[in-house]
Amino acid sequence: MSGINKKKLQDWFWAYLMILPTLAGTLIFSIWPLIQSFYLAFTKWGAFGSYEWGGTVNFERMLGDTVLWQSLRNTIVYTVGSVPAGIALSIVVAALLNTKIRGMSTYRTLYFLPVVTMPVAVAMVWRWLYNADFGLLNHMLRSVGIEGPRWLTDPKYAMLSLIIVSVWSSIGYNMVIFLSGLQGISKQYYEAADIDGASAFVQFFRITLPLLTPTIFFVTVTSLISAFQVFELIFTMIGINSPVIRHTQSIVFYFYRQAFVNMDKGYASAIALLLFAIIMAVTIVQFRLQRRWVHYE
């Protein structure tokens, strides 16, 4: 064996050795559970964890499951309400923090704090804020003569409460990504616009937004996937026994109830495959549509 081939083998050996932990983790915690879910979706579960091959019985059951479709509708409402608002506010905050103002690092840190805070801790704080009797929000409303609603126990306000928390907690992460996108836009465009007499408003909509569309596309894809997988906010803030859970539970929350409360892992796996198919379809549509609205320099 020549010296060059021996060196190539050594390089390949060390390369695979370095990625082995990540590869093993992906196989054990991602690929293998996915294969199991595909198999379990076609099984019928009985008492004490026993199961047998059931064919398409779980998918036939899904067609008549009104709770499942209500959960899917709740997920769509949550996604439509939280993703566009979160992206829009993140762009505005990023644009403001991209200017030269005093205390810039402090503002960026404050906006990013929710990202590094445990989601359960965030949910518990907001649950206290939303408390109808002792919460800060209703206390502030009472101080101006307004009787606040029961945020987390009234079906009219429960979903809105979740959307507000989702938007608030997503601004920091999206802001950092948009900041990197803004700082990648050449200053020459703005200098030319200044010479032509374009206002800051015109520059934002004619220069900043078009050149920021690749970043907006990335954030949109990741935000939609995250929104479709919402669970911890509902579990912590609403609770499984809440009277409004039917109006707020997501499809992932319904999957949790079937898998770990009702112990029907076959039907839960079928729900997981449905969610996988929906996210895959939405992502494919987004990649197809990006050709019409994403502009690259």
Side-chain angles (χ1 to χ4, degrees):
M1 183 179 296
S2 65
I4 296 177
N5 291 334
K6 185 176 180 180
K7 187 177 184 306
K8 285 185 177 180
L9 286 176
Q10 289 178 344
D11 292 341
W12 278 104
F13 171 78
W14 286 110
Y16 278 109
L17 185 64
M18 292 299 103
I19 67 172
L20 182 60
T22 302
L23 182 62
T26 302
L27 291 173
I28 296 173
F29 299 109
S30 297
I31 305 300
W32 177 241
L34 181 62
I35 295 173
Q36 279 189 314
S37 295
F38 271 101
Y39 171 73
L40 293 177
F42 294 93
T43 59
K44 185 177 181 180
W45 285 64
F48 305 106
S50 61
Y51 62 91
E52 60 184 8
W53 182 258
T56 59
V57 63
N58 290 321
F59 298 97
E60 295 170 4
R61 176 183 169 187
M62 289 169 59
L63 296 176
D65 191 347
T66 57
V67 179
L68 171 65
W69 300 115
Q70 176 68 31
S71 302
L72 180 58
R73 187 176 87 74
N74 295 338
T75 306
I76 294 174
V77 170
Y78 172 86
T79 302
V80 172
S82 62
V83 173
I87 292 175
L89 288 175
S90 299
I91 292 175
V92 172
V93 172
L96 293 174
L97 294 182
N98 196 41
T99 58
K100 295 181 180 180
I101 59 176
R102 294 182 61 182
M104 179 67 66
S105 58
T106 303
Y107 288 122
R108 291 179 180 178
T109 303
L110 290 175
Y111 276 107
F112 195 73
L113 275 178
V115 181
V116 297
T117 306
M118 293 294 292
V120 175
V122 170
M124 291 300 295
V125 171
W126 276 94
R127 185 175 181 178
W128 172 76
L129 292 174
Y130 280 135
N131 188 282
D133 299 318
F134 311 106
L136 181 61
L137 290 179
N138 280 4
H139 176 74
M140 294 172 64
L141 291 174
R142 289 192 196 99
S143 66
V144 294
I146 301 175
E147 187 62 30
R150 309 192 74 83
W151 296 95
L152 299 179
T153 56
D154 189 335
K156 293 188 297 184
Y157 297 98
M159 180 60 74
L160 176 62
S161 303
L162 293 174
I163 291 173
I164 291 173
V165 178
S166 174
V167 171
W168 174 83
S169 59
S170 67
I171 288 177
Y173 176 77
N174 293 339
M175 174 205 68
V176 172
I177 299 176
F178 284 129
L179 268 175
S180 64
L182 288 171
Q183 292 172 0
I185 299 176
S186 175
K187 302 295 183 182
Q188 295 178 352
Y189 296 110
Y190 298 102
E191 293 172 357
D194 287 332
I195 294 173
D196 290 338
S199 64
F201 183 83
V202 172
Q203 291 182 25
F204 180 78
F205 284 96
R206 294 297 181 88
I207 298 175
T208 304
L209 276 185
L211 294 179
L212 198 61
T213 49
T215 310
I216 296 174
F217 172 71
F218 171 78
V219 173
T220 302
V221 172
T222 56
S223 297
L224 282 173
I225 293 174
S226 177
F228 270 104
Q229 296 176 336
V230 61
F231 170 76
E232 64 274 357
L233 279 182
I234 301 170
F235 184 82
T236 308
M237 294 180 62
I238 304 298
I240 195 170
N241 296 318
S242 172
V244 298
I245 189 61
R246 183 181 178 89
H247 302 279
T248 55
Q249 73 173 349
S250 64
I251 192 170
V252 174
F253 191 92
Y254 189 57
F255 158 82
Y256 162 79
R257 294 183 67 173
Q258 293 297 327
F260 302 106
V261 178
N262 299 336
M263 300 305 294
D264 190 350
K265 292 182 173 58
Y267 189 52
S269 297
I271 295 173
L273 289 186
L274 173 64
L275 179 61
F276 173 78
I278 292 172
I279 292 177
M280 180 68 72
V282 170
T283 305
I284 291 174
V285 170
Q286 287 180 289
F287 272 92
R288 292 290 179 88
L289 293 177
Q290 71 158 326
R291 303 169 188 171
R292 299 185 179 181
W293 65 276
V294 178
H295 306 281
Y296 296 96
E297 268 187 283

